[in-house]
Amino acid sequence: MRRPLLLGTLVVALTAGVSVPATTASAATTDLFVNNTVACADTGPGSQAQPFCTLAAAAAAVTPGGTVRGTGTYNERLTVVSSGTPGSPVTFRGANPDVADFFLTGDKAGVTIAGQHDVSIANVQVTAGAGGPAVTVDNASRVTLDKVAVRRDNLAPVPGISLTGVTDSSLAKVSVAGALVPAISLDAATSGVVVTGARLTRFGNHRHGGIVVLGSRNSVLYSTLSAARADAITVGAGATDNVVARNNVYETVRRGIVNAGATGTAITNNTVNSGNETNIRVDGASTGVSVQNNVVRSTACAACDLPQADKAVIGVYGDAVSGTTVDYNTVQPSANGPRYVWGATPYFSVAEFRAASGQGAHDRDSSEPSPNFDSANSAAPGWQPTDAGGRSPVDNPDVPNTGAGPFTYADRGTSEISLGPTAALTLTSRPDAGVVADASGTKPGWVPIVSYTFDFGDGTTVTQATPVASHTYATRDRHDIRVTVTDAQRLAASTSKGYEPGGYYVPLGPVRALDTRAATGTSGTTPVAPGGTLTLQVTGRLGVPETGVTSVTMNVTATQPTRDGFLTVYPHGGSTPNASNLNWVPGLTVPNLVVVQVADGKVDFRNTSAGTVHLVADLVGYHTTGPGASHVPVPLTRVLDTRDATGTTGTAPVAPGGTLTLQVTGRAGVPDTGVTAVSLNVTVTEPGNEGFLTVSPNGRPRPNASNLNWNRGVTVPNLVVVPVVNGKVDFHNTSAGTVHVVADLAGYHSTGGGAVFHPASPFRVLDTRDANGGRGSPVYQGAWTSVNLRSLVPEGTTGVFVNVTVTGPTGDGFLTVLGRFGSAPTATSNLNWRPGQTVANLVYVELSDGDTIFINTGSGTVHVIADVVGTYSA
């Protein structure tokens, strides 16, 4: 049941009367240094430049408010010989708080604080020697041991941390490992000590001896104890008003928590999964003991030679039944022991126990976690309002609130359970090389999200209360962006995405950038040699800026080839990729649109044939890191077909030397304004003579450029990206014969927002001739093949440019490429062929959750090859 979450208003109320040492504002500290790994001197000043060599020299020199920072390994007992004052302790600590670099090791190693007050020891690791306790605190007050680690691997055990006559002190996050028995002891004269966040474990094969409390008004909180050689936590006879709360105990040899004749002990919200004997035991002359909110799992062994009464989950023995409260616990018994013992009688069910004792009215018998939710008594003695992670109780909306006290939705056991958030992240490019990181899709858990931390991967981290953050990079490199969301319970979730600032499109011309026949863009008129590479400078000329250019878009034509072959266009200086842009046979003129990444302002053309070939390239635009237009895809839509009057006023072909004007804005999903260029898959068919087609901005002088070249009677397609002027584009037929023109709209570039382009060195994603994404067999008539492009491109990709090649067709036909089934009518075409032809065309594919489909609409079989040359993202 949902209840208001109360955070920030809770006060730790140790009802058993445990006090916590008060603190006041610290005075300015003076640092001394001890470091035997460098040149040192005990007669020196103890500065970082000339540190002390021994602990004794440093201890003799430190004064109230001063800190000794230690580095190195010392076979020496650190004996504290002076006291601090309230708020200005004498402090000994490792020089580096994040890395263990202060060690006391050897037969003399240890720490002694005797008769002192206001002392702090932190970040020190002690390997116990052969003598007495590893750490001795005697007749002292206001002592803090913080992150002190003690271990021993010798078979002969010695005490670990021993406190005698100590008051108002704390052991915070200390760790004890190995043959230390007891691991931590508080004698009868020790009071007001808080052991919090301790960790007791085995070291090698050696077990520790647990925590023994014999004094009064002490508490053991938030600690983890595993592999105790006897009882994990013992509160002994004569001890009064101690608290044992929110501890995790498991894998002990004997018992978990034992109250052996102590008075007023609060055993609250512990999780105990201990050894062979009773997990929580109250015996002797114990009175006023409270055992509540614990989750106790029995692991009693069948072979152990113990009576059933000593294998209980919770046992209250003898006279201890007088004044002991057992309630709101969850018991999880094994098959080898009873759930409870009361007095001397074992009880094997909660109902029997209730009837005999009058206790356990709210106890539950379950091995499932759900009974522990929202069912604890928050008024139980010793109840701690936060768990070890600082989490307060929070309502589980799926569970009724059956607890008691001020928080009826508090949980049993050590932890306050809360469903945390699920982080989400989307990234959007900005034209200024910036990114907008949006975590609005994050789903909160049971409590509200209070902070969003964005790590932009370049050393910039932003923490804020709102889910959207912007950042501008100094360089346009790839960065990994991570968001971490944190809720009011301090539960956090993270997710990350790679981000590479995309390019915005700037249309040009078209304008001729290369013609090996006329020395345009080259130093001569010779064709490209067999296996030769031609390098073309593309930046700093023809309207392309010198900097900020990521890729260029060119209509490339191969003409006068002397042998079969293909052309690969790729970033300058890189290795030649396994990809092709144009394919030809001798004497054939072949065009194709190419989008190629720019490196050092250049691109390379590789003639992969045994003959020469002339190359022509008409520049139609470039992608830039500066201002430009973004891309908006549209479903592939036929906007022009002179054969059936689509986009025209009649069905006549374009006349020899004629120009056809097509309205492209305000139709087929293209807006009326803000459009800078459109992408059209243009096909010429039924040409009466050889020639070429030029697609250019409406009303402008016709450029010396071509988009499609054909021979008489041949159907030729090509993708065209053309600037838009007056909302129109022009198609000019440069031939002595008529020609029909078909155009399918694939998308447009707009200043109003859309996707940005990420060029890539071409890489192959499909080849039906082999097993590289294909089937090793051609695509049959009327059939299709597919590839999951989304799995092969970066996350967040919305569309891709794919250079598609068909080869080895056995009949006439055309290919339709769809982002998914049903995304466009199959009457639209991307490539057209005749038997035996190898034809290539650049295709834009909008990605969906499914596969990209390549449909063979032809009279025979055909092989299909696809190379990705770039991607679009939001």
Side-chain angles (χ1 to χ4, degrees):
M1 182 181 298
R2 177 67 69 185
R3 291 289 188 271
L5 175 67
L6 302 180
L7 295 173
T9 60
L10 301 174
V11 178
V12 176
L14 303 181
T15 58
V18 177
S19 61
V20 179
T23 59
T24 58
S26 298
T29 60
T30 301
D31 285 356
L32 298 174
F33 294 85
V34 56
N35 187 348
N36 60 10
T37 67
V38 298
C40 57
D42 282 346
T43 58
S47 64
Q48 191 167 13
Q50 190 176 7
F52 293 121
C53 296
T54 64
L55 305 178
V62 69
T63 58
T67 298
V68 174
R69 299 187 179 275
T71 302
T73 301
Y74 301 84
N75 184 11
E76 183 179 355
R77 194 165 188 91
L78 170 59
T79 301
V80 181
V81 297
S82 60
S83 297
T85 59
S88 297
V90 168
T91 300
F92 297 81
R93 67 178 306 119
N96 190 333
D98 300 318
V99 178
D101 60 355
F102 189 13
F103 303 94
L104 309 184
T105 301
D107 57 348
K108 300 176 183 178
V111 176
T112 296
I113 304 170
Q116 309 300 334
H117 57 83
D118 298 289
V119 176
S120 176
I121 310 291
N123 296 99
V124 179
Q125 182 169 305
V126 180
T127 300
V135 177
T136 299
V137 186
D138 180 28
N139 192 28
S141 62
R142 296 188 296 278
V143 173
T144 298
L145 303 182
D146 182 16
K147 297 179 183 176
V148 173
V150 183
R151 76 180 191 187
R152 178 173 172 80
D153 55 5
N154 193 291
L155 288 175
V158 299
I161 300 175
S162 177
L163 277 63
T164 58
V166 177
T167 60
D168 299 331
S169 298
S170 72
L171 279 62
K173 297 182 179 180
V174 299
S175 63
V176 180
L180 296 160
V181 180
I184 300 173
S185 63
L186 286 64
D187 81 333
T190 293
S191 64
V193 172
V194 179
V195 179
T196 180
R199 185 170 183 85
L200 280 61
T201 62
R202 72 171 73 224
F203 182 68
N205 293 320
H206 306 296
R207 297 172 176 264
H208 63 85
I211 299 175
V212 177
V213 179
L214 301 177
S216 301
R217 303 185 310 281
N218 303 294
S219 57
V220 180
L221 310 174
Y222 308 122
S223 296
T224 300
L225 299 89
S226 67
R229 65 189 298 164
D231 300 333
I233 301 175
T234 301
V235 184
T240 60
D241 299 330
N242 293 288
V243 174
V244 179
R246 296 206 187 262
N247 301 290
N248 188 16
V249 180
Y250 60 98
E251 292 183 358
T252 63
V253 172
R254 295 191 62 196
R255 298 167 295 200
I257 300 173
V258 177
N259 191 82
T263 299
T265 305
I267 303 173
T268 308
N269 280 98
N270 301 282
T271 297
V272 184
N273 185 6
S274 63
N276 301 317
E277 300 185 40
T278 300
N279 294 40
I280 295 181
R281 182 182 181 104
V282 182
D283 61 16
S286 301
T287 60
V289 177
S290 172
V291 181
Q292 298 193 55
N293 302 336
N294 301 284
V295 176
V296 195
R297 307 178 182 93
S298 173
T299 56
C301 70
C304 296
D305 186 18
L306 294 170
Q308 288 285 4
D310 289 329
K311 295 182 180 181
V313 180
I314 297 175
V316 182
Y317 298 85
D319 293 341
V321 298
S322 176
T324 295
T325 299
V326 177
D327 206 0
Y328 292 94
N329 303 289
T330 300
V331 294
Q332 301 173 10
S334 72
N336 303 311
R339 287 159 175 77
Y340 301 91
V341 168
W342 188 255
T345 305
Y347 297 96
F348 290 85
S349 73
V350 174
E352 291 175 352
F353 172 65
R354 287 173 183 160
S357 66
Q359 299 286 329
H362 302 92
D363 276 15
R364 295 178 177 178
D365 180 352
S366 177
S367 60
E368 299 296 325
S370 56
N372 305 324
F373 302 154
D374 296 7
S375 62
N377 179 12
S378 59
W383 184 76
Q384 306 297 304
T386 61
D387 65 11
R391 292 183 289 271
S392 305
V394 59
D395 184 34
N396 181 338
D398 300 322
V399 175
N401 298 335
T402 58
F407 300 96
T408 59
Y409 47 86
D411 294 334
R412 305 182 186 194
T414 57
S415 300
E416 290 295 334
I417 304 300
S418 181
L419 179 66
T422 302
L425 180 64
T426 59
L427 305 175
T428 304
S429 295
R430 292 195 325 228
D432 60 352
V435 64
V436 178
D438 188 345
S440 299
T442 294
K443 295 181 179 179
W446 292 344
V447 298
I449 295 169
V450 296
S451 70
Y452 298 82
T453 298
F454 296 90
D455 183 348
F456 287 100
D458 64 347
T460 303
T461 301
V462 176
T463 299
Q464 59 189 43
T466 53
V468 181
S470 298
H471 180 61
T472 300
Y473 290 100
T475 61
R476 297 186 65 88
D477 301 321
R478 177 182 169 85
H479 299 280
D480 289 323
I481 300 176
R482 173 172 292 274
V483 63
T484 300
V485 298
T486 305
D487 67 14
Q489 283 289 87
R490 303 183 187 179
L491 294 176
S494 297
T495 188
S496 63
K497 286 186 176 181
Y499 171 74
E500 184 175 357
Y504 292 82
Y505 187 70
V506 179
L508 293 173
V511 59
R512 184 139 294 175
L514 171 68
D515 191 340
T516 57
R517 302 167 304 179
T520 301
T522 66
S523 57
T525 59
T526 58
V528 182
T533 300
L534 183 151
T535 297
L536 178 66
Q537 178 74 39
V538 291
T539 61
R541 58 189 291 253
L542 304 174
V544 181
E546 292 185 356
T547 60
V549 176
T550 59
S551 66
V552 291
T553 303
M554 300 180 294
N555 197 73
V556 178
T557 303
T559 188
Q560 301 175 24
T562 60
R563 298 286 295 272
D564 291 349
F566 63 90
L567 185 76
T568 301
V569 189
Y570 56 100
H572 171 63
S575 58
T576 305
N578 178 31
S580 64
N581 296 93
L582 294 93
N583 299 69
W584 59 74
V585 294
L588 188 66
T589 296
V590 181
N592 197 13
L593 190 70
V594 172
V595 179
V596 58
Q597 187 175 3
V598 173
D600 298 326
K602 305 177 182 70
V603 296
D604 288 344
F605 299 76
R606 172 81 171 178
N607 170 20
T608 308
S609 80
T612 62
V613 64
H614 277 290
L615 299 180
V616 180
D618 297 320
L619 186 68
V620 298
Y622 61 91
H623 288 97
T624 174
T625 58
S630 49
H631 181 260
V632 180
V634 299
L636 196 62
T637 305
R638 183 143 295 173
V639 292
L640 173 66
D641 191 337
T642 57
R643 300 169 303 179
D644 62 11
T646 299
T648 68
T649 58
T651 59
V654 184
T659 298
L660 181 151
T661 297
L662 177 66
Q663 178 74 38
V664 291
T665 60
R667 58 189 295 240
V670 181
D672 290 311
T673 60
V675 177
T676 62
V678 291
S679 300
L680 301 167
N681 196 70
V682 179
T683 303
V684 294
T685 188
E686 302 175 23
N689 208 326
E690 64 180 19
F692 64 89
L693 188 76
T694 301
V695 189
S696 59
N698 172 246
R700 290 186 178 174
R702 188 171 71 255
N704 178 29
S706 66
N707 297 93
L708 292 92
N709 299 69
W710 61 79
N711 291 323
R712 182 174 181 176
V714 176
T715 297
V716 179
N718 198 16
L719 186 66
V720 173
V721 180
V722 57
V724 174
V725 174
N726 303 321
K728 304 178 181 69
V729 296
D730 290 342
F731 298 77
H732 185 77
N733 171 20
T734 304
S735 81
T738 62
V739 66
H740 278 290
V741 180
V742 181
D744 297 320
L745 180 71
Y748 62 92
H749 289 88
S750 170
T751 56
V756 291
F757 184 67
H758 305 275
S761 185
F763 62 96
R764 185 146 292 174
V765 294
L766 174 68
D767 191 338
T768 60
R769 299 171 301 179
D770 58 31
N772 181 20
R775 301 172 303 189
S777 62
V779 183
Y780 292 95
Q781 176 183 351
W784 51 269
T785 189
S786 65
V787 61
N788 189 341
L789 287 179
R790 184 172 292 282
S791 66
L792 302 174
V793 295
E795 183 181 0
T797 298
T798 58
V800 296
F801 263 141
V802 184
N803 199 75
V804 180
T805 303
V806 295
T807 189
T810 59
D812 292 338
F814 64 89
L815 189 78
T816 300
V817 184
L818 305 178
R820 59 186 181 277
F821 277 118
S823 61
T826 55
T828 58
S829 65
N830 296 98
L831 293 92
N832 298 69
W833 62 78
R834 284 187 170 181
Q837 277 189 314
T838 297
V839 181
N841 196 14
L842 189 66
V843 176
Y844 173 80
V845 179
E846 184 178 6
L847 295 188
S848 68
D849 293 333
D851 290 351
T852 297
I853 312 299
F854 300 79
I855 303 174
N856 171 17
T857 306
S859 59
T861 62
V862 66
H863 278 292
V864 181
I865 305 160
D867 302 314
V868 170
V869 299
T871 63
Y872 280 97
S873 65

